[in-house]
């Protein structure tokens, strides 16, 4: 049995809140809605039911590389916040206010392939402390180190995150940092290193590859990359292994995200291919840490 319409001249009430009079109707279903139920639309207002139905039947917007469209680069902002928090923690815990490198956090979480404490206890990535592969990226050797990496992160990260989407961008950043740490552990196992430079160089590599795929003018990016590579090998106390490892990761993953699979592939297939490729790259890095130390005669 259907309800009869209200008699002419009777006050109209919200279909969800029958005790509230209203003169506004949903532009889709024309049911009366009160101010609490109004959802602003391109034309007029819609009711919550019509908005929910529209969301179910509308495909989410996608980037050209398969990720969901990004309105704000939340991953970039979160990483920047964590890097700033890491530097603040270093400053607070440093033995000297002028030397954040004297913080015990560098000893506990910095990148070290292998080391032995005064008590004869082994530590480092090659001794099972794999968290150092990522934790070192949130520590820095000084304010200028922090500002340079932070600015590069903001400049490159905000654009890349909009191109790739949140998930792909996070995978790129993490695997770039890990790749730089892995190469450092294998080539310079007894040295200490901190900083997000491996991840930053991964962003440089990815921007270069993806920009070419989009047909962009990359002369400025190429110049910045060239300058940074020159500084990598000419300025002392810079971990070239972190830079090169991150750059290789960025070029490889950027190529996967930009060119695989074919242009005609749907978003689901594209996501699967990218996820498998990222997982395979992570497995390759893990295998390198498990196998190569024995081959190279490292501890």
């Amino acid at each position: 049995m259907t309800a009869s319409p209200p008699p002419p001249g009777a006050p109209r009430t919200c279909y969800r809140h029958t005790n509230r009079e209203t003169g506004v109707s949903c532009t889709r279903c024309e049911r009366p809605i009160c101010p609490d139920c109004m959802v602003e639309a391109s034309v007029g207002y819609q009711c919550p039911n019509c908005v929910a139905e529209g969301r179910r039947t509308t495909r989410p917007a996608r980037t050209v590389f398969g990720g969901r469209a990004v309105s704000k680069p939340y991953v970039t902002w979160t990483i920047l916040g964590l890097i700033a928090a890491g530097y603040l923690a270093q400053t607070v815990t440093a033995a000297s206010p002028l030397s954040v490198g004297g913080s015990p956090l560098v000893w506990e979480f910095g990148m070290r392939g292998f080391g032995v404490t005064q008590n004869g206890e082994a530590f480092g990535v090659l001794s099972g402390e794999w968290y150092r592969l990522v934790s070192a990226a949130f520590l820095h050797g000084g304010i200028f180190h922090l500002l340079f990496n932070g600015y590069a992160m903001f400049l490159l990260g905000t654009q890349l995150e909009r191109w790739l989407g949140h998930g792909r961008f996070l995978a790129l950043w993490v695997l770039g940092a890990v790749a730089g740490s892995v190469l450092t552990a294998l080539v310079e196992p007894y040295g200490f290193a901190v900083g997000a430079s491996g991840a930053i160089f991964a962003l440089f590599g990815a921007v270069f590859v993806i920009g070419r795929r989009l047909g962009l003018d990359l002369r400025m990016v190429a110049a910045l990359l060239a300058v940074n590579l020159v500084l990598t090998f000419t300025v002392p106390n810079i971990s070239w292994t972190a830079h090169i490892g991150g750059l290789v990761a960025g070029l490889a993953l950027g190529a996967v995200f930009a060119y695989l699979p074919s242009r005609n592939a749907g978003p689901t297939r594209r996501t699967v291919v990218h996820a498998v490729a990222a997982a395979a790259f992570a497995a390759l890095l893990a295998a390198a840490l498990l196998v190569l130390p024995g081959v190279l005669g490292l501890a």
Side-chain angles (χ1 to χ4, degrees):
M1 179 177 181
T2 60
S4 59
R12 300 171 74 244
T13 59
C14 174
Y15 83 98
R16 298 176 76 236
H17 304 98
T18 55
N19 61 334
R20 301 181 187 178
E21 295 184 13
T22 181
V24 179
S25 299
C26 172
T27 56
R28 291 187 65 180
C29 67
E30 299 185 349
R31 288 181 291 188
I33 48 177
C34 68
D36 287 344
C37 297
M38 296 177 187
V39 180
E40 189 172 3
S42 57
V43 178
Y45 295 91
Q46 294 183 7
C47 67
N49 286 7
C50 288
V51 171
E53 180 63 25
R55 288 174 178 170
R56 284 194 296 269
T57 57
T58 302
R59 292 183 178 181
R62 295 275 179 176
T63 71
V64 67
F65 303 110
R68 291 201 174 189
V70 171
S71 58
K72 295 182 180 180
Y74 292 118
V75 175
T76 299
W77 293 348
T78 300
I79 293 174
L80 283 171
L82 292 174
I83 289 174
Y87 186 79
L88 179 61
Q90 282 182 262
T91 304
V92 171
T93 58
S96 168
L98 299 178
S99 176
V100 293
S103 168
L105 294 178
V106 174
W107 179 263
E108 295 293 338
F109 297 100
M111 181 55 217
R112 180 69 178 262
F114 183 78
V116 179
T117 66
Q118 294 180 348
N119 298 327
E121 297 178 357
F123 70 96
V125 171
L126 300 181
S127 295
E129 296 177 344
W130 285 39
Y131 59 86
R132 292 177 181 268
L133 296 172
V134 176
S135 62
F138 298 99
L139 305 174
H140 285 81
I143 186 63
F144 292 108
H145 191 200
L146 171 74
L147 292 177
F148 176 82
N149 281 343
Y151 178 70
M153 177 70 189
F154 174 79
L155 192 66
L156 301 172
T158 50
Q159 183 58 68
L160 270 172
E161 190 169 352
R162 287 190 169 94
W163 283 345
L164 297 176
H166 299 309
R168 287 169 176 81
F169 174 74
L170 180 60
L172 171 68
W173 193 92
V174 172
L175 290 175
V178 171
S181 295
V182 167
L183 188 59
T184 299
L186 296 175
V187 177
E188 298 177 340
Y190 304 107
F192 256 112
V194 292
S197 300
I200 299 302
F201 267 77
L203 302 188
F204 267 114
V207 164
F208 191 78
V209 174
I210 293 173
R212 285 182 61 86
R213 168 69 171 76
L214 296 174
L216 303 179
D217 184 353
L218 298 172
R219 285 177 291 183
M220 182 60 69
V221 175
L224 286 173
L225 180 57
V227 168
N228 279 278
L229 286 173
V230 170
L231 294 176
T232 295
F233 293 101
T234 57
V235 177
N237 299 322
I238 288 183
S239 177
W240 68 268
T241 50
H243 291 190
I244 298 303
L247 179 61
V248 170
L251 292 172
L253 292 174
V256 169
F257 295 155
Y259 293 100
L260 295 180
S262 64
R263 295 185 179 184
N264 297 327
T268 300
R269 183 185 175 191
R270 191 175 296 274
T271 297
V272 170
V273 170
H274 292 175
V276 169
F281 189 80
L284 180 64
L285 294 176
L289 274 182
L290 291 173
V291 175
L292 289 182
V295 176
L296 298 176
L298 302 176

